[in-house]
Each structure stands twice: as C-alpha cells, then as structure tokens.
C-alpha cells in the first residue's frame, strides 16, 4: 500500500523578521542584505523590521564582500540587487546563485591580468519562503541556521576550510581563517559546490542568516540560549547586547515563524490534507 497524503491540518503562519548591519573596525569588508516581498524589497545596512502576512513569497539574503575597484561599486551590493531582481521576476531559485555569479564575474574581472582574476568577491546566503516551503542556498561562508526546539541545524556549506571543520566538530565558536574556495565573482565558479536545500516550515521555527562577522561575535550556544529565553529579542539587540566586540562588519537577519494573529491572514493558510490509501 502507498499513503499519498497524511490526514492533518496545517495552521496559518506569519513571519516576524528583524535585521541589522553593524560596522566593525576592520576596513575592506562590506556587508549588505536584502529582505522583503516582491512588492516591498529592502536593500539595507541599517536596522529593519517586517511582519509578513498573506500567501506571498519572502526573500532574506546576506552578502559579505570585498572589492578592489571602488569605481565599479561594492560587489556585495551588486549581488543582493541582482538577487532581488531575480526574485521579483520569478526566476527559478535553482539558478539564482549561478546567475548572480555570471553577472558579477563579468563585471568584476581585472582586465589588466593575463588570466581571469576577480577584482571583487562576496559570499551570498539566502532563504526564500515559498508557500509552505523554505529554500536555503549559499556560496561562501555566511551561515544559515534553523532552530527548531533545542535543535540547531546548519543550512549551508561553508567554503572555508576552518569554518567547515568547526561545523563538523559542532564547535560553539566560529573558527576564523582559510580562503574561500568558491564565491560570487569567481571566474572558475563551481555550481557543484553550491549548497541548496528545501524543507517544510513549522510553527515555532527560527531562521538566522548572517555574515561571518556576526557568527564570530555570537557563539552558537549563546545564540540558542538567548533565542529560547528571550522570545522577543531582535537582530539588533542580539548584536548590541549579547555579542563579543565586533571585528568587522556584522549582519544578522532573524526570522521567527509564528501562528497568524486572530483575524489576520497568515503567510500559509490552513490546509487539510486527506489520507488516501492506494493498493
């Protein structure tokens, strides 16, 4: 026998989103983030907050980059703006990272070098909420985390030797150092090294997208404890009150999945799935 559907009711949900970028003393690294719906997409470095209701797609992404050609602009800003356009156009999420890299690598190649050499490089990590699904994708070492109860699950693959080793060892503290092996702006970009996954969203889930600067300043254990004991903590409060001194730009987007308030539409409307048993 095959069970095609499970008999259950999916509750209406909404998203509470806060985000912030704080500048650190180290120069040369620039964080940018984008968050919002197709009709209200925000590109920012400052503090931002949104309540998302109704069955609309939602995007949150962080880019942490460095550019050696100021006249071309910051590659992190270019990456989030390009990603935002793809999101608004309804492009296939499976192609987003590759498309952003193709555009960035052609713009930021150094024409004076005899071999293809980038004059800018950035990480790019994103969450896209589509109906009841959330899509996580990344290139570089900007973390994506999902917290469900006491479980904290990484939803990214850091292209950084030490960060990957610390992830495998489940270290509390982010391990710094090691060159990126794949990034946006890379003329030898490898799609096979992209991270991409989808899962169903559940009430009470908490999602975090951040730069490595924020990951160094707030240990995983401190982050988990804070989010469980202080239910209304915002991204700004996390970096201002619970982080170690910042070394460089630090960006954090905090997304809480909550039941829809009474009388308000939820981002995911109630659905009843019917169990069917097939021979």
């Amino acid at each position: 026998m095959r069970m095609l559907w499970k008999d259950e009711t999916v509750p209406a949900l909404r998203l509470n989103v806060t985000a912030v970028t704080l500048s650190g003393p180290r120069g040369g690294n620039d964080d940018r983030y984008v968050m919002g719906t197709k009709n209200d997409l925000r590109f920012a470095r400052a503090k931002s907050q949104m309540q998302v209701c109704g069955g609309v797609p939602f995007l949150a992404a962080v880019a942490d980059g460095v550019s050696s050609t100021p006249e071309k602009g910051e590659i992190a800003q270019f990456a989030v703006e390009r990603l935002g356009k793809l999101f608004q156009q309804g492009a296939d999420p499976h192609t987003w990272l590759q498309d952003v890299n193709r555009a960035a690598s052609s713009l930021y190649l150094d024409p004076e070098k005899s071999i293809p050499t980038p004059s800018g490089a950035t990480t790019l990590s994103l969450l896209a909420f589509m109906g009841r699904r959330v899509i996580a994708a990344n290139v570089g070492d900007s973390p994506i985390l999902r917290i469900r109860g006491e479980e904290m699950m990484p939803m990214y693959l850091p292209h950084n030797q030490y960060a990957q080793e610390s992830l495998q060892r489940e270290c509390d503290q982010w391990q710094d150092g090691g060159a990126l092996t794949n990034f946006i702006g890379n003329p030898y970009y490898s799609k096979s090294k992209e991270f991409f996954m989808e899962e169903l969203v559940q009430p009470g889930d908490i999602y975090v997208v951040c730069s490595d600067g924020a990951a160094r300043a707030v240990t995983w254990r401190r982050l988990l404890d804070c989010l469980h004991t202080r239910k209304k903590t915002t991204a700004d409060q996390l970096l201002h009150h619970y982080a170690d001194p910042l070394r460089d730009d630090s960006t954090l987007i905090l997304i809480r999945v909550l039941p829809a308030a009474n009388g308000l539409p939820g981002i995911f409307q109630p659905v009843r799935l019917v169990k069917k048993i097939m021979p």
Side-chain angles (χ1 to χ4, degrees):
M1 292 192 301
R2 294 183 297 130
M3 187 172 70
L4 299 186
W5 301 96
K6 185 179 179 181
D7 187 11
E8 62 177 331
T9 299
V10 181
L13 305 175
R14 60 189 169 96
L15 302 180
N16 178 286
V17 189
T18 58
V20 69
T21 295
L22 300 181
S23 297
R26 192 175 77 174
N29 284 64
D30 296 298
D31 286 8
R32 289 292 185 272
Y33 72 83
V34 58
M35 58 179 274
T37 66
K38 292 183 178 180
N39 296 324
D40 184 11
L41 204 54
R42 305 176 187 179
F43 303 91
R45 280 177 58 87
K47 187 168 55 174
S48 190
Q49 183 166 353
M50 295 184 77
Q51 291 276 346
V52 182
C53 295
V56 292
F58 178 84
L59 173 69
V62 170
D64 178 6
V66 57
S67 304
S68 59
T69 51
E71 68 277 4
K72 294 183 179 180
E74 296 175 357
I75 190 172
Q77 181 72 22
F78 177 87
V80 295
E81 288 179 353
R82 180 73 179 185
L83 177 65
K85 289 180 181 178
L86 295 170
F87 171 67
Q88 290 177 317
Q89 293 167 358
D92 181 0
H94 291 81
T95 67
W96 286 355
L97 293 179
Q98 194 172 19
D99 188 292
V100 173
N101 180 73
R102 187 182 302 112
S105 60
S106 63
L107 178 62
Y108 287 88
L109 279 183
D110 190 336
E112 298 181 359
K113 299 294 180 67
S114 58
I115 59 174
T117 305
S119 61
T122 185
T123 69
L124 186 58
S125 295
L126 67 93
L127 288 170
F129 292 82
M130 307 282 191
R132 289 199 62 237
R133 297 177 300 133
V134 62
I135 295 169
N138 104 292
V139 58
D141 61 358
S142 296
I144 307 172
L145 304 170
R146 189 258 290 144
I147 299 166
R148 181 173 291 163
E150 296 297 324
E151 176 193 35
M152 178 183 289
M153 187 180 83
M155 300 177 72
Y156 73 109
L157 178 64
H159 299 101
N160 168 317
Q161 177 187 353
Y162 299 108
Q164 190 165 351
E165 289 175 356
S166 70
L167 184 65
Q168 292 168 347
R169 296 197 305 269
E170 298 183 350
C171 290
D172 282 349
Q173 180 65 54
W174 178 263
Q175 300 298 301
D176 193 16
L180 294 180
T181 58
N182 204 25
F183 52 88
I184 298 296
N186 184 359
Y188 304 105
Y189 183 87
S190 172
K191 182 169 176 58
S192 65
K193 291 184 178 180
E194 288 180 1
F195 178 87
F196 189 98
M197 72 170 289
E198 299 181 40
E199 70 173 18
L200 292 179
V201 178
Q202 296 185 16
D205 285 350
I206 301 174
Y207 292 88
V208 175
V209 192
C210 65
S211 63
D212 65 337
R216 281 194 297 267
V218 184
T219 66
W220 298 154
R221 178 52 52 189
R222 193 185 310 161
L223 175 67
L224 189 61
D225 291 344
C226 179
L227 293 178
H228 276 306
T229 58
R230 297 169 176 84
K231 302 295 185 182
K232 296 184 178 181
T233 299
T234 66
D236 182 57
Q237 291 169 341
L238 268 172
L239 290 186
H240 268 114
H241 303 301
Y242 304 105
D244 295 329
L246 304 181
R247 292 175 47 189
D248 57 7
D249 281 6
S250 299
T251 297
L252 193 144
I253 302 176
L254 179 62
I255 304 169
R256 297 178 184 271
V257 182
L258 304 172
N262 291 336
L264 294 177
I267 188 170
F268 314 122
Q269 295 302 314
V271 177
R272 187 167 182 80
L273 305 178
V274 181
K275 183 190 298 182
K276 293 184 178 180
I277 307 298
M278 303 295 290

